[in-house]
Amino acid sequence: VQLQASGGGLVQAGGSLRVSCVDSGRTFSFYAMGWFRQAPGKEREFVAGISWSGSVTDYADSVKGRFTISRGSAKTTVYLRMNSLKPEDTAVYYCAADPDLNGVRSQPAYWGQGTQVTVSS
């Protein structure tokens, strides 16, 4: 698996957490990358995306102002900083990659493993 997500855990509502996705094969340095999440019984949904350069970001309305996506300087790691977490943010978070940022939002070509985020009320 080339995209490896980590950093999930249990946090109280209102708290913060940062999840990371590492491109272990250095394959996606020039790809747009992003995060999706899937809650139990629900479809997987787009959360945030970032261009290969890191200069353009895209967020789902439900997380705007609370979540921040960023890339490391080597472009091989993508972070999702989550603040003001709510119980409805509970889900498995997956990272994804696509040659295009629009593709990341709609139908990414590559998926990584997920990491569980649980927000208690």
Side-chain angles (χ1 to χ4, degrees), residues 21-106:
C21 176
V22 176
D23 170 16
S24 59
R26 295 179 175 266
T27 304
F28 303 108
S29 298
F30 295 99
Y31 279 59
M33 296 183 69
W35 289 92
F36 281 69
R37 66 187 181 187
Q38 187 166 21
K42 294 187 177 181
E43 293 187 354
R44 191 174 298 188
E45 64 175 359
F46 170 79
V47 175
I50 189 166
S51 62
W52 73 267
S53 66
S55 61
V56 182
T57 56
D58 183 21
Y59 295 95
D61 288 343
S62 59
V63 306
K64 277 182 182 176
R66 299 189 298 123
F67 290 12
T68 302
I69 189 170
S70 61
R71 298 186 81 136
S73 56
K75 312 300 182 192
T76 56
T77 304
V78 176
Y79 305 99
L80 185 68
R81 175 70 178 183
M82 302 179 287
N83 295 328
S84 303
L85 281 161
K86 306 174 182 179
E88 51 263 44
D89 294 318
T90 295
V92 177
Y93 283 71
Y94 297 90
C95 59
D98 193 271
D100 182 74
L101 185 57
N102 290 328
V104 165
R105 173 183 268 271
S106 59

